[in-house]
Amino acid sequence: MKRVLALTLAILLFIVFAMAFAKIPFGEKMSNYPDYYNPIENQTSNMSLPQHYLTYGKNDTGATNMVTAVVVDYRGFDTLGEVTVLFLASTGVGSLMYVEDKVKRKVRRSNAVVETGSKLLFGFIILFGAYIFIHGHLTPGGGFPGGAVIASSFLLLYLAYPKFHAEHKKLNVSESLAGLTFVIVGLLGLIIAGYFLYNFLPFGLPTYLFSAGVIPVIYVAIGVKVGSELTGIVDAMMGVRE
Amino acid sequence: MIPYYYLGSISLVVIGIYIVIAKKNLIKIIIGLDIMDTGVNLLLISVGYVKNATAPIENVPGPYVDPIPQALVLTAIVIGVSVMALALSIAIGIYKKTGTLELDEIMGVEE
Amino acid sequence: MSDIILLILQIIGYIFISIGTFFLLLASIGLLRMPDVYNRMQTATKATTLGSLSVLIGVGLIDLWWLPKSLIIAAFIVLTAPIGASALARASYKHGVKLWEGSVVDKYKEEKEED
Amino acid sequence: MDLFTIVSLILITIMIIAAIIAAEIKDLLSAAIASGVMSLVVSILFYMLQAPDVAITEAAIGAALSMAVMIFGIKSTKRWEK
C-alpha cells in the first residue's frame, strides 16, 4: 500500500518537474539583459552575470580557468564557508565513530601483488593530486578535486595494508595550517586594501604558473585541507583494526 | 519537448524521493539521498551548457559554457560526500544501540 | 624525406590499432564464452591489457605529439590492471566461488594443504 | 541525431537503470556498487557537458571515496535489507 502511494507520488512529482523544466532552453546561447546602468563600470551595459565573468574575468583575477576565478576570487567568501561545513562534517564523523573500548576487528592480510603495487602507485597518485591543485588556475582541476585524489591514494593504502594508520596529529596539523593560511591571506587583503580576500599579489602573465596573485596560494591551502579532512573521514569510518 | 538531459536528472531526483519515502532501511535511505544529490548536480550543469561551446578555460578561443553552475557543483559534490559520511556514522550509532537498521523496528525498540 | 617517415609511422600506427581492436574483440567474445569467473577474469584483463596497450601505442605513432602522454597512460594500465584483477580473483576465491570442473591447477588449495 | 545526442541518450539510459537497481535490490552492497556505477556514468556526462573540473571531482569522489565510505558503513552494520 505504502509502495503504491510512494510510486504515485513519485510519478506526480515527475510530471510536475517535467512541466516546470519544459520551458527552460537547453544548450542555447546566453541571452542578454535589457540595457541597465552598471555603477561599477560606470556605463550602461546589457551583459548577464556569466558574460560579465567571461569578459572581464581574466583582467580582474589573472586566472585562466574561469571556474577557479569564480570559486576562489569572486565567490571566495562562500568557499570559506563551504570549507567550514566540510570541517564540521569531518569533526562530526570523528566524534561519532570514536570508540572507547576499542573493539578490534580481525582483518586478513592482502596478497603480495596488491601490497607491492599499491606501494608503487601511492606516490604517483599523490603527485597527480598535487599537480591538479597547483595548476588549478591554469588547467581543469583545483583544490577540491586534488584533495579528493590525495584522499583516494590514502584509501588505497588503507585497503592494501590492514594495519596502516594515518597519524591523526599530522592530519590535524596540516588541516589547521591550511585553514589558517586561507584566513590569514583573506585578512592580509583586508589590511592592505580594505576587502576580505583582496588579490594583493601581482598578477603576472596569464597562462604562466606564477600568475593570478593569491589564487594559487588559496587553492593549495584548500587542496591540503580537503585531502586531510577526507583522509580523516576514511580513517574514522574504517574503525580500529587488528 | 523537454530536453533529455533534464528528463534524466529529474528521474534521478524522483527515484531518490521514492527511495526516501518507500524504503525503511536507513542505509537505503542514505543511498537515496546520494542519488538525489547527483541528480540535482547534473540538472545544474546541464542548465549551464551551451551548444558548440568549450569549457571556460581561456587558452582556447570561442564561446564558453556558463562557469557559475560548475563552480557551485564543484563544492557541492565534496560537501555531499562528507555529509553522507556523517549520516552513515549516525546510522552506525543507531545500529550499535538498537541492533537493527529497519525504521519500524527502531521505533518499537525505543519505547 | 620526413614526410615519408611520418607516413610509414602512420601506417605502423594503424596496424597497431587494428591489432588492438582484434584483441579487444577476442576479449569480449571470451567474456561471453568462458565457463567460470576466473577464466572470464583472465580474458577480461590479459587480452584487454594487450589490446588497449597497442591501441595507445598506435595513437601515439599516428600523431607524435601524443606519444609521451599515451606512453604514460600505457605504463599506468600495465601497473594497475593486474593488481585489480588479482585482488578481485582472490576475493572471489575466498568468498567461495567454485572453479570450473575442467580446471586442472588450484594453487591456493595446494598452498593451504602444505600449511 | 548527431553523435552527441546518441552517446548521451545511451549514457542517460545506463544511469537511470543503475539508479533503479540501487533502489530495488535487497543486497545493500550491490546497491552501493550500483550507485557507484551511476556516479561514474554521471562523471562522463559532466565531461561531455564541457565541465572537466566537475568531472574530475565526481570521478574521484563518487566512484572511489563515496562508495568506499558506504561499504565501510555496510561492513559495520548489516548487509541485507529486510
Side-chain angles (χ1 to χ4, degrees):
Chain A
M1 189 57 206
K2 202 181 169 190
R3 273 175 77 95
V4 177
L5 266 178
L7 209 59
T8 336
L9 184 65
I11 292 169
L12 273 178
L13 271 176
F14 183 82
I15 294 170
V16 170
F17 282 149
M19 279 165 71
F21 283 100
K23 292 283 166 57
I24 299 178
F26 172 73
E28 285 179 16
K29 269 184 75 176
M30 282 177 262
S31 53
N32 289 330
Y33 291 148
D35 285 355
Y36 64 94
Y37 175 68
N38 185 346
I40 300 170
E41 305 287 334
N42 198 14
Q43 62 192 8
T44 55
S45 149
N46 61 356
M47 277 181 184
S48 56
L49 190 63
Q51 279 174 326
H52 184 275
Y53 285 165
L54 288 173
T55 315
Y56 298 109
K58 212 169 177 176
N59 289 331
D60 281 355
T61 65
T64 323
N65 186 351
M66 274 310 116
V67 179
T68 301
V70 174
V71 168
V72 181
D73 197 291
Y74 288 115
R75 300 262 184 278
F77 198 55
D78 275 12
T79 307
L80 184 59
E82 271 147 0
V83 169
T84 315
V85 172
L86 203 62
F87 169 69
L88 285 179
S90 79
T91 317
V93 173
S95 63
L96 279 170
M97 296 299 289
Y98 179 74
V99 275
E100 279 185 4
D101 45 346
K102 303 259 176 193
V103 187
K104 286 184 176 170
R105 203 188 296 153
K106 265 186 88 175
V107 188
R108 285 205 200 95
R109 256 189 101 232
S110 52
N111 61 355
V113 179
V114 176
E115 285 185 357
T116 319
S118 53
K119 204 190 283 176
L120 260 176
L121 281 175
F122 171 71
F124 284 115
I125 300 178
I126 285 249
L127 187 68
F128 182 56
Y131 172 82
I132 286 180
F133 65 65
I134 289 171
H135 289 77
H137 55 299
L138 302 175
T139 51
F144 292 97
V149 169
I150 285 180
S152 66
S153 78
F154 276 102
L155 175 67
L156 184 67
L157 277 196
Y158 272 101
L159 293 179
Y161 294 89
K163 288 186 181 170
F164 176 76
H165 260 289
E167 280 183 49
H168 277 269
K169 267 191 183 155
K170 283 180 190 166
L171 281 184
N172 286 345
V173 167
S174 65
E175 199 268 334
S176 341
L177 275 183
L180 262 182
T181 316
F182 196 161
V183 176
I184 284 174
V185 168
L187 286 178
L188 277 179
L190 188 65
I191 292 166
I192 290 173
Y195 301 105
F196 190 71
L197 279 173
Y198 179 75
N199 201 341
F200 57 86
L201 289 176
F203 283 175
L205 291 169
T207 74
Y208 277 74
L209 179 57
F210 291 99
S211 66
V214 299
I215 288 179
V217 180
I218 292 175
Y219 238 7
V220 167
I222 290 175
V224 172
K225 197 169 159 66
V226 171
S228 43
E229 271 159 1
L230 290 180
T231 312
I233 285 178
V234 168
D235 183 74
M237 294 297 290
M238 204 75 180
V240 182
R241 297 149 311 148
E242 184 58 50
Chain B
M1 186 59 203
I2 315 163
Y4 42 92
Y5 270 99
Y6 296 171
L7 275 183
S9 38
I10 288 169
S11 37
L12 280 195
V13 174
V14 168
I15 289 169
I17 290 174
Y18 167 73
I19 293 176
V20 171
I21 295 172
K23 303 287 170 177
K24 293 203 174 106
N25 189 298
L26 281 178
I27 290 183
K28 207 45 164 309
I29 289 174
I30 293 168
I31 291 175
L33 289 174
D34 190 37
I35 291 175
M36 251 157 91
D37 199 11
T38 315
V40 172
N41 290 344
L42 184 58
L43 184 65
L44 280 174
I45 293 284
S46 56
V47 167
Y49 178 67
V50 177
K51 244 173 216 155
N52 297 324
T54 56
I57 293 158
E58 304 202 341
N59 295 332
V60 281
Y64 304 110
V65 299
D66 193 346
I68 301 173
Q70 299 192 15
L72 275 174
V73 170
L74 191 65
T75 50
I77 290 172
V78 181
I79 287 179
V81 69
S82 64
V83 169
M84 198 190 74
L86 187 63
L88 268 174
S89 59
I90 292 173
I92 292 171
I94 290 173
Y95 180 79
K96 272 180 191 159
K97 204 157 192 180
T98 64
T100 177
L101 280 175
E102 309 294 319
L103 268 179
D104 34 4
E105 291 175 22
I106 292 168
M107 295 295 178
V109 169
E110 204 66 35
E111 293 302 321
Chain C
M1 187 59 204
S2 62
D3 286 350
I4 298 171
I5 292 173
L6 280 181
L7 189 68
I8 293 170
L9 278 180
Q10 276 195 0
I11 292 169
I12 296 173
Y14 282 115
I15 291 171
F16 264 111
I17 287 184
S18 18
I19 293 172
T21 37
F22 176 67
F23 273 98
L24 288 175
L25 178 72
L26 283 187
S28 50
I29 292 173
L31 206 61
L32 289 174
R33 300 267 312 167
M34 284 293 177
D36 73 337
V37 175
Y38 307 103
N39 285 318
R40 277 201 294 270
M41 199 169 284
Q42 192 215 8
T43 56
T45 51
K46 264 188 170 174
T48 312
T49 310
L50 184 58
S52 36
L53 280 188
S54 43
V55 167
L56 280 167
I57 291 171
V59 168
L61 288 180
I62 287 172
D63 192 346
L64 283 180
W65 186 248
W66 285 77
L67 191 58
K69 282 179 196 173
S70 61
L71 281 181
I72 289 173
I73 297 171
F76 274 99
I77 285 179
V78 169
L79 270 178
T80 51
I83 297 173
S86 94
L88 273 176
R90 190 169 178 272
S92 55
Y93 190 89
K94 298 259 162 164
H95 196 258
V97 179
K98 291 274 186 302
L99 271 73
W100 180 47
E101 311 92 51
S103 33
V104 283
V105 179
D106 191 350
K107 284 282 182 191
Y108 267 124
K109 206 177 178 184
E110 288 170 21
E111 199 177 290
K112 219 178 250 175
E113 279 164 3
E114 276 172 18
D115 285 344
Chain D
M1 288 274 269
D2 49 345
L3 193 61
F4 180 84
T5 316
I6 297 167
V7 175
S8 31
L9 277 178
I10 293 170
L11 287 177
I12 286 173
T13 319
I14 296 173
M15 176 186 88
I16 293 174
I17 290 172
I20 291 173
I21 289 174
E24 283 307 323
I25 204 162
K26 291 280 180 195
D27 186 357
L28 288 176
L29 200 58
S30 305
I33 291 170
S35 79
V37 169
M38 186 200 69
S39 289
L40 201 61
V41 174
V42 168
S43 92
I44 301 170
L45 283 177
F46 283 151
Y47 186 74
M48 285 173 63
L49 290 173
Q50 301 291 342
D53 313 67
V54 188
I56 297 172
T57 319
E58 179 79 29
I61 282 186
L65 278 174
S66 147
M67 212 163 79
V69 164
M70 223 182 275
I71 287 173
F72 294 153
I74 292 167
K75 215 176 154 191
S76 43
T77 57
K78 259 188 213 161
R79 180 171 167 185
W80 296 92
E81 182 193 12
K82 253 177 211 159

